[in-house]
Amino acid sequence: MGKPGGRNLGWEVARMMNLDARWIKIWRDLWSNKTRFLLVTLSIAVGVGTIGMIYNASHIIQRDLYAQFKRGNPAHVFLYAAPFPKEIAKAAQGLREVKQAQARRVVRAEIRSIKGEDENLTLHVVADPSAFEVNRFFMEQGEFPPRVREIILERQSADLLGYQVGDSVLVKLADDRQYILTVSGIAHDVNEIPFAILGEASGYVNMDTLRWMGEIPLYNRLEVIVEGEKVGKDVALEVAEKIKKRVLEPAGYPVFSIRIPGVGSDPGDHWAHNQIRGFILILQIMSVMATLLSGGLIINTISAILIQQTKQIGILRAIGASRKQIVSMYLLNVLIFSIVGFLLAIPFGLIGSWWLANFAARFLNFDVSRVTLTWDVLLIQFGVAIGMPLGVAIFPILNGTRISVYDAIYQFGLSSRKRVSRLEKWLSRIRSINPPLLLSLRNTFRQKTRLAFTLGTLTLAGAMFIASFSTYSSLTAQIRDVERYVAFDARISLPRGISKVAAEREALRIEGIGYAEAWALSEGVLVRADHSESQGIEIVGLPPNSKTIQPKLIAGHWLTPLPNSRQVVVNADLATEEAGIDVGKEIQIKIGGKTHTFTVVGIVSKHIFGPRVYMDYISLTRLTGRHNEADEIRVLAEEGKLGSLATQDLVAEKLQERFRNAGLSKQNSVTRASFFSEFTEVFNIILFVLLLMAGLLALVGSLGLSGTLGINIMERMREIGVLRAVGAANHALVKIVLAESLVVSFVSWVMGAITSAISSPILAAVVIYAVLETQMNFRYSLIGLALWFGVILLIGVFSSLLPARRAAQLQVREVLDYE
Amino acid sequence: MTQLSVQEYQKQYSDRTLADIEEYSSVSPLIEARDLWKVYQTPSADVPALKGITLSIQPGEFVIVVGKSGAGKSTLVNLITAIDIPTRGSVLFRSQSIFDLPEDQRTRWRGKNLGIVFQFFQLFPTLTIWENVKISMDLLGEIPMSERKERALDLLRQVGLEQHARKVPAKISGGQQQRVAIARALANDPPLLIADEPTGNLDSRTSEEIMDLFASFVARGKSVLMVTHDRGALKWASRVVEILDGKLLG
Ligand SMILES: Nc1ncnc2c1ncn2[C@@H]1O[C@H](COP(=O)(O)OP(=O)(O)O)[C@@H](O)[C@H]1O
Ligand SMILES: [Mg+2]
């Protein structure tokens, strides 16, 4: 009796169950190549698992983040106005369209972290703590409301600043007034953009504390919830306009700006709603690609199995198996891949979604309650795991079983002698290719469908890889573009009342600073033809021959040095947001309550950080009545040259110290590089995710190539036998396989390069739009192309390892047995 | 003798006793090749492998076709088993023209009525010996599920390999493998066994054992068609036909 020892469990189970020998055969054949079994099931698991990961994660985000956000009763629109009493909120609520209105005071301040660094802080005072209903936060420690000289910190702010309940903190207001407050509680506020992203901490105090800190006890933000189910942007802005016209302005409180909370979100949606959706969309595209690739791998593998078993298929037919029976055998084969892949995909998807949701939770400051397996996600995963492999495998199966019984038994293993293609003729003309390699290349390029899948997979991986790099270089290029508008080494904000001349002179006295220039800054709104007003616009007054800006003109020309000319240059951010802005056209801008008419003389490229209007320094200071005052000093170590990182840091340090000592500004200075650090960090995360996906694709592509090479060896058994018989050494066989692998890889690189010309701008546009809601200039990454060449060479070598070993191990006797 | 359809014939046949069959067989051949031609088309030239072969086998006959290598023996076997298609001519099994059947019925016919033994055994490497025998029954599905394993072991007992039933083919010798192949060919109890050089890869002692098995099969009223280049095997035959350059002699 044969001993069961050494055989696996599957073998024993199949035997005990007295199964149809056909199914046993399929099962054993699967087990006889464990690596292949693992590769295919893992590739299905990765594709289907990614689907689960993304669907589950978006479920979690919907359930936890959006639910936590909704629980806070988010405002639809904010009105920022001159300090007003809280009764205004009641008056606003009297309007039919207003469901709820709440007054809040927000004050810009600074807080010193435990490390001794001054960070931006927004202090909030809620008008009526007993009726705190809009944009609510929830206490995690301590009591709300805070008492006098107490502050409640937002939990992420507290965490990053290093404070706990009971600690004393230093808070600074304008004019460097400093106050010590006690942390009395920790709150969780999902309404605020987290400290980790925006770099602004949030704290909550009561009005008495604010009064003690020397501020007037009034409110400056009206938070409004509009009546109705789903409130659109238009409706929210309309209602806000009505509140302004009917409530605030008649009572004598001018409105400075009307804003919908969030980063381009719809009213009532989470502030990052669009960005999250964009990010999920990208991940979805990736999961579709991963699934497609695992489909390619399945086609490859099933083709390999069919070719390897061609003779057995012939014998099966000779002993009475119908074609239908054989098709069903191989479909079962695929089904086993599918089921195992599906079973692996479930935990993979769950763990992945747990990781993704927690990553998002840390970033976006919300809590993940639990990770659950939902039926609909499970059903989608099941459908893809079962349907996709069967759907794609049916073609090679029908194709592979179509061969006649005679051909299957007697003709297999001989290179077919079909017609010679043009490519082959071309190949044979290259003298330097040695005959065995030529033979193998012929075989490779003759099997067009099989080659198509391998090439397709690798091409896609390459297109993805290069597109990721191009996306990154487009972002970098865009940053370079934006850098034109922050072309300083360091900058420092000035409080009101500082003279332009004094500030410039002081800066130039600093050793190592070769150039200084003062800007005047203001806020304004665009008054449209229908008298409605835009969101806030930054108004910059600068010397027309400024050296700290290198405007890139899209249309028209830059400001000419004609004082009081009423000419302005607008940025593309404003020009695309508002209709009817063009060179030569007049626009109306309201600055400090008065509307003025200007002529647009030029449009400069996108700034990303918002709409901006440039005008002559003198013109602006006349309009604001702040003659000879400066709001910001921008310096360069050397005129006409941007300094290195070290230079920037040095200059910034000196500028800050000198201005502090001279009593000109207590602010921190900012370098050009630090201005971009927030941008680049987000982009780095995205680049990492994209490259991870490209790496995954490359892995699957490599497996496909390895499979194709393996099939080729099977098909050329006799040739290899002959080669061995005429004395081909192992290394010669290995060289042939390697050369073949490299040729296919190289072809895929060329095709990938071509495809990337299309995929790169699309991916760049999708990513950039998702993150920044803006279109950008596209930049193709040649570095990505070159790097991918290196990667593809590695893939070529790596993919040939296993098949080459197989070829070298083939014994002449085995080849004969095969006969 | 009136012409019967295959179905009618099979129905009658299954009800008959051995004596009836023998009586019947004396008048009607089990299988009949009529004017078979096969021309292989190769890029260099057309190769005529068979040039008008006519041959019939009665039930209970042991026919050996003998000829040198390249004479066309394998081609003949491939045509009679309908593994390949003739350029001209026909094959009749119990008066039914095989090549007139649609592909799937032809496959079923082959599984039910022919036991084919190949020169290179052609067992399935990942199946055990008894599973290799059983798979024929599983494919045809005519023998009840519960009896298949018993029958497989029984057939292995008949070829003297019962003790190896649970091994894989690679673990037994060539002669043993060929006996497994014969057991597999007998699995669905076909009336005709067709073998192409079944002893071509075996030593003379093992060959004798194989020939003994064929003889016992014939003794039970079945038919055997075997092709070989080995004249030593001819003593087992009830009829010998010689093939040369694609034609039968005499
Ligand atoms: N597939 C084929 N293509 C071309 N010629 C073939 C093919 N198969 C067999 N032949 C030729 O047909 C003739 C008969 O072959 P075969 O039937 O195999 O002979 P045997 O089995 O008697 O050795 C030989 O000349 C052989 O070369
Ligand atoms: Mg032969």
Side-chain angles (χ1 to χ4, degrees):
Chain A
M1 287 294 247
K3 279 235 189 95
R7 290 186 195 148
N8 59 52
L9 187 68
W11 184 289
E12 290 306 318
V13 169
R15 175 190 294 167
M16 279 187 294
M17 286 169 65
N18 190 23
L19 283 171
D20 193 316
R22 273 179 290 169
W23 315 137
I24 297 175
K25 174 172 168 8
I26 288 302
W27 181 248
R28 298 247 178 88
D29 290 349
L30 274 179
W31 270 111
S32 69
N33 193 337
K34 291 190 193 61
T35 338
R36 183 172 64 197
F37 182 77
L38 220 67
L39 289 182
V40 176
T41 48
L42 278 181
S43 87
I44 295 175
V46 166
V48 175
T50 318
I51 293 176
M53 168 172 122
I54 288 152
Y55 274 91
N56 268 325
S58 33
H59 256 291
I60 293 167
I61 289 171
Q62 303 274 352
R63 184 192 61 205
D64 292 340
L65 172 58
Y66 293 164
Q68 279 166 38
F69 181 74
K70 282 274 179 291
R71 198 166 64 112
N73 200 24
H76 290 149
V77 62
F78 291 156
L79 289 97
Y80 290 92
F84 59 87
K86 65 180 177 187
E87 286 68 31
I88 287 290
K90 284 212 187 69
Q93 208 156 329
L95 291 180
R96 188 167 37 83
E97 297 91 338
V98 176
K99 192 170 163 195
Q100 272 171 311
Q102 175 180 283
R104 187 187 293 237
R105 175 70 177 275
V106 282
V107 181
R108 302 199 125 262
E110 285 187 3
I111 184 166
R112 186 155 295 169
S113 76
I114 206 146
K115 280 188 254 155
E117 283 161 13
D118 287 344
E119 302 282 358
N120 288 326
L121 170 73
T122 306
L123 278 177
H124 296 241
V125 180
V126 179
D128 200 348
S130 57
F132 178 28
E133 273 169 351
V134 180
N135 271 21
R136 290 200 305 153
F137 52 80
F138 298 90
M139 296 305 294
E140 297 205 331
Q141 285 175 54
E143 293 293 324
F144 179 79
R147 288 168 303 185
V148 183
R149 295 187 211 177
E150 284 182 351
I151 184 170
I152 294 169
L153 286 176
E154 208 291 316
R155 69 173 191 190
Q156 204 195 46
S157 306
D159 196 35
L160 293 172
L161 291 168
Y163 290 122
Q164 292 171 349
V165 172
D167 287 347
S168 294
V169 295
L170 176 76
V171 172
K172 297 199 290 182
L173 265 68
D175 310 330
D176 210 25
R177 303 183 325 253
Q178 306 195 354
Y179 304 91
I180 303 284
L181 301 177
T182 307
V183 179
S184 69
I186 305 289
H188 181 204
D189 192 347
V190 221
N191 302 294
E192 297 303 313
I193 300 181
F195 185 39
I197 296 176
L198 196 65
E200 263 177 37
S202 302
Y204 312 88
V205 294
N206 70 10
M207 199 45 111
D208 290 339
T209 308
L210 207 63
R211 191 185 288 128
W212 169 69
M213 292 166 92
E215 294 281 323
I216 38 166
L218 290 171
Y219 301 89
N220 60 358
R221 184 164 96 183
L222 195 62
E223 303 170 331
V224 178
I225 296 178
V226 176
E227 282 285 0
E229 273 301 295
K230 182 74 192 154
V231 177
K233 275 184 185 159
D234 300 350
V235 176
L237 290 174
E238 228 168 73
V239 173
E241 195 71 22
K242 202 163 178 184
I243 295 172
K244 171 184 153 189
K245 293 261 157 68
R246 299 248 187 101
V247 181
L248 280 156
E249 282 182 352
Y253 304 105
V255 172
F256 301 139
S257 77
I258 292 174
R259 213 165 57 74
I260 288 167
V263 187
S265 314
D266 279 337
D269 279 347
H270 184 265
W271 56 267
H273 190 271
N274 293 346
Q275 288 72 14
I276 292 169
R277 203 182 45 201
F279 201 69
I280 286 175
L281 179 76
I282 293 168
L283 290 175
Q284 272 166 347
I285 294 171
M286 299 293 180
S287 76
V288 168
M289 279 172 97
T291 309
L292 285 180
L293 284 175
S294 78
L297 191 65
I298 287 162
I299 290 175
N300 250 316
T301 308
I302 279 295
S303 306
I305 293 175
L306 285 164
I307 284 164
Q308 200 181 341
Q309 301 198 343
T310 301
K311 195 157 209 165
Q312 294 189 30
I313 292 172
I315 301 297
L316 278 168
R317 303 222 47 191
I319 65 172
S322 69
R323 180 148 171 244
K324 223 196 269 165
Q325 284 176 317
I326 290 174
V327 168
S328 65
M329 279 172 77
Y330 289 96
L331 284 179
L332 174 77
N333 190 326
V334 178
L335 199 66
I336 295 174
F337 284 143
S338 291
I339 289 169
V340 177
F342 171 65
L343 293 177
L344 290 174
I346 298 171
F348 180 81
L350 280 179
I351 294 168
S353 58
W354 181 83
W355 174 82
L356 189 63
N358 273 293
F359 172 77
R362 260 197 315 281
F363 201 63
L364 299 174
N365 190 21
F366 72 100
D367 296 317
V368 175
S369 56
R370 63 196 189 283
V371 177
T372 45
L373 196 58
T374 56
W375 278 108
D376 49 347
V377 174
L378 210 58
L379 222 69
I380 291 170
Q381 283 186 285
F382 184 78
V384 175
I386 304 298
M388 186 278 295
L390 288 179
V392 297
I394 189 76
F395 299 106
I397 289 177
L398 288 179
N399 217 22
T401 53
R402 192 171 287 141
I403 184 169
S404 81
V405 185
Y406 177 78
D407 285 343
I409 300 178
Y410 295 101
Q411 292 297 88
F412 183 70
L414 295 164
S415 293
S416 51
R417 274 160 196 64
K418 285 182 224 148
R419 68 200 163 76
V420 179
S421 73
R422 220 179 308 155
L423 185 68
E424 284 174 63
K425 278 188 197 143
W426 174 79
L427 277 173
S428 54
R429 230 173 280 150
I430 305 173
R431 290 263 186 77
S432 55
I433 296 181
N434 71 341
L437 175 59
L438 188 65
L439 230 61
S440 96
L441 281 179
R442 267 193 197 165
N443 194 61
T444 306
F445 285 96
R446 191 176 277 138
Q447 306 296 335
K448 291 209 184 62
T449 23
R450 192 185 317 143
L451 186 70
F453 283 115
T454 303
L455 274 181
T457 316
L458 284 176
T459 300
L460 213 63
M464 186 66 232
F465 184 91
I466 298 168
S468 303
F469 267 81
S470 296
T471 302
Y472 190 69
S473 69
S474 303
L475 288 167
T476 316
Q478 187 66 38
I479 284 176
R480 285 281 122 71
D481 240 24
V482 174
E483 218 165 28
R484 293 164 160 275
Y485 304 98
V486 288
F488 49 76
D489 287 342
R491 177 191 82 185
I492 194 160
S493 297
L494 304 173
R496 289 202 162 206
I498 300 291
S499 136
K500 173 182 190 291
V501 184
E504 282 177 348
R505 198 194 304 128
E506 194 65 36
L508 284 171
R509 276 200 197 125
I510 300 167
E511 196 194 333
I513 289 185
Y515 178 80
E517 120 189 350
W519 282 17
L521 303 173
S522 185
E523 270 258 332
V525 290
L526 187 80
V527 182
R528 304 188 186 102
D530 62 355
H531 300 296
S532 65
E533 291 175 3
S534 72
Q535 301 202 15
I537 300 169
E538 193 182 5
I539 318 281
V540 174
L542 76 174
N545 62 344
S546 167
K547 301 284 193 311
T548 62
I549 185 169
Q550 299 161 355
K552 182 180 176 184
L553 283 152
I554 298 175
H557 60 82
W558 183 242
L559 299 170
T560 44
L562 293 170
N564 207 13
S565 65
R566 297 261 157 156
Q567 54 175 325
V568 292
V569 169
V570 301
N571 67 2
D573 310 53
L574 182 63
T576 47
E577 213 169 89
E578 296 289 334
I581 295 183
D582 216 338
V583 173
K585 292 247 171 78
E586 292 201 328
I587 54 169
Q588 307 236 298
I589 300 175
K590 192 156 114 186
I591 302 169
K594 273 197 218 151
T595 307
H596 308 273
T597 305
F598 299 93
T599 308
V600 178
V601 297
I603 299 175
V604 290
S605 65
K606 198 130 198 159
H607 286 32
I608 302 183
F609 48 82
R612 215 183 219 192
V613 171
Y614 292 99
M615 65 176 78
D616 172 50
Y617 169 84
I618 295 166
S619 307
L620 180 61
T621 49
R622 271 196 195 138
L623 294 177
T624 56
R626 295 172 54 218
H627 302 278
N628 294 322
E629 278 186 34
D631 295 295
E632 160 176 313
I633 281 283
R634 298 153 74 100
V635 299
L636 284 166
E638 208 179 307
E639 187 179 329
K641 184 172 168 259
L642 292 175
S644 66
L645 273 179
T647 310
Q648 291 174 42
D649 284 340
L650 191 74
V651 166
E653 180 100 32
K654 284 182 174 171
L655 184 68
Q656 182 173 326
E657 201 188 335
R658 174 67 70 103
F659 272 56
R660 186 156 296 187
N661 292 341
L664 286 174
S665 172
K666 305 282 181 192
Q667 296 286 315
N668 292 337
S669 59
V670 174
T671 63
R672 182 174 70 252
S674 68
F675 181 83
F676 288 108
S677 62
E678 276 164 34
F679 276 115
T680 45
E681 266 163 42
V682 175
F683 295 161
N684 282 340
I685 293 172
I686 292 172
L687 179 74
F688 173 74
V689 172
L690 289 175
L691 284 182
L692 199 75
M693 291 294 179
L696 212 69
L697 304 194
L699 182 72
V700 174
S702 163
L703 299 179
L705 177 55
S706 192
T708 303
L709 295 171
I711 297 175
N712 278 354
I713 289 166
M714 291 301 307
E715 283 187 329
R716 295 200 317 266
M717 282 276 207
R718 288 190 202 185
E719 269 171 37
I720 293 172
V722 171
L723 284 176
R724 303 218 85 168
V726 300
N730 273 353
H731 71 263
L733 283 173
V734 170
K735 243 162 66 188
I736 291 172
V737 178
L738 179 64
E740 195 178 335
S741 181
L742 289 178
V743 168
V744 175
S745 303
F746 178 73
V747 172
S748 89
W749 178 77
V750 173
M751 287 170 63
I754 296 166
T755 316
S756 72
I758 304 160
S759 68
S760 303
I762 293 174
L763 186 74
V766 169
V767 170
I768 290 166
Y769 190 78
V771 178
L772 296 166
E773 289 229 315
T774 172
Q775 282 113 24
M776 284 209 198
N777 305 326
F778 172 69
R779 180 76 49 97
Y780 186 86
S781 170
L782 288 172
I783 294 176
L785 183 67
L787 271 177
W788 180 244
F789 186 75
V791 173
I792 205 82
L793 284 186
L794 286 178
I795 287 175
V797 173
F798 173 77
S799 307
S800 71
L801 290 181
L802 232 96
R805 216 183 63 183
R806 273 275 284 299
Q809 278 172 348
L810 275 180
Q811 300 301 312
V812 179
R813 192 188 61 76
E814 263 183 87
V815 177
L816 284 180
D817 257 7
Y818 192 76
E819 176 58 24
Chain B
M1 183 72 212
T2 51
Q3 208 55 26
L4 291 172
S5 77
V6 175
Q7 287 80 9
E8 283 170 324
Y9 175 76
Q10 282 177 350
K11 191 172 168 294
Q12 289 181 19
Y13 176 78
S14 56
D15 296 330
R16 288 180 184 214
T17 63
L18 198 65
D20 290 332
I21 296 163
E22 274 169 356
E23 184 205 324
Y24 182 85
S25 66
S26 61
V27 276
S28 172
L30 179 63
I31 198 162
E32 200 181 347
R34 282 190 187 161
D35 192 27
L36 280 182
W37 285 76
K38 181 69 188 180
V39 180
Y40 290 109
Q41 284 168 349
T42 68
S44 45
D46 285 358
V47 181
L50 293 185
K51 303 167 187 166
I53 297 241
T54 298
L55 175 72
S56 64
I57 298 165
Q58 306 296 324
E61 247 191 323
F62 190 160
V63 178
I64 293 183
V65 177
V66 70
K68 285 187 294 215
S69 180
K73 302 182 296 295
S74 294
T75 306
L76 178 64
V77 165
N78 288 336
L79 293 184
I80 288 181
T81 53
I83 282 174
D84 204 2
I85 291 168
T87 313
R88 216 175 82 192
S90 57
V91 172
L92 292 105
F93 184 84
R94 290 174 179 151
S95 309
Q96 163 73 48
S97 172
I98 298 313
F99 294 105
D100 289 347
L101 293 173
E103 162 98 49
D104 259 3
Q105 278 188 38
R106 202 153 63 215
T107 303
R108 227 188 130 66
W109 160 80
R110 196 190 298 123
K112 185 175 163 58
N113 296 299
L114 302 187
I116 306 176
V117 179
F118 299 91
Q119 182 174 358
F120 293 100
F121 327 137
Q122 311 288 13
L123 301 177
F124 300 109
T126 53
L127 290 181
T128 60
I129 303 297
W130 75 267
E131 286 161 350
N132 259 289
V133 177
K134 183 170 168 276
I135 195 169
S136 293
M137 299 181 241
D138 288 333
L139 286 170
L140 195 70
E142 293 215 332
I143 288 157
M145 202 107 69
S146 54
E147 291 170 23
R148 291 178 198 166
K149 185 174 180 181
E150 263 324 300
R151 180 167 168 79
L153 293 175
D154 198 46
L155 286 164
L156 287 173
R157 195 174 305 124
Q158 287 176 34
V159 298
L161 285 175
E162 203 198 1
Q163 72 276 23
H164 298 299
R166 285 165 204 287
K167 292 182 182 168
V168 284
K171 296 266 172 254
I172 59 175
S173 72
Q176 288 170 328
Q177 286 190 44
Q178 192 59 298
R179 282 191 279 166
V180 176
I182 291 168
R184 180 178 69 188
L186 300 179
N188 285 316
D189 197 24
L192 176 62
L193 205 70
I194 298 182
D196 185 355
E197 313 240 15
T199 59
N201 272 15
L202 304 174
D203 60 51
S204 57
R205 209 180 70 83
T206 324
S207 300
E208 296 266 306
E209 289 171 14
I210 300 292
M211 295 311 290
D212 267 335
L213 277 173
F214 285 156
S216 69
F217 183 68
V218 174
R220 279 181 284 146
K222 312 268 178 166
S223 314
V224 175
L225 169 67
M226 171 177 152
V227 304
T228 182
H229 67 271
D230 174 18
R231 295 200 162 262
L234 300 188
K235 61 181 175 202
W236 305 91
S238 56
R239 181 152 62 98
V240 175
V241 184
E242 184 146 9
I243 186 169
L244 186 66
D245 289 340
K247 283 184 188 154
L248 295 185
L249 295 184

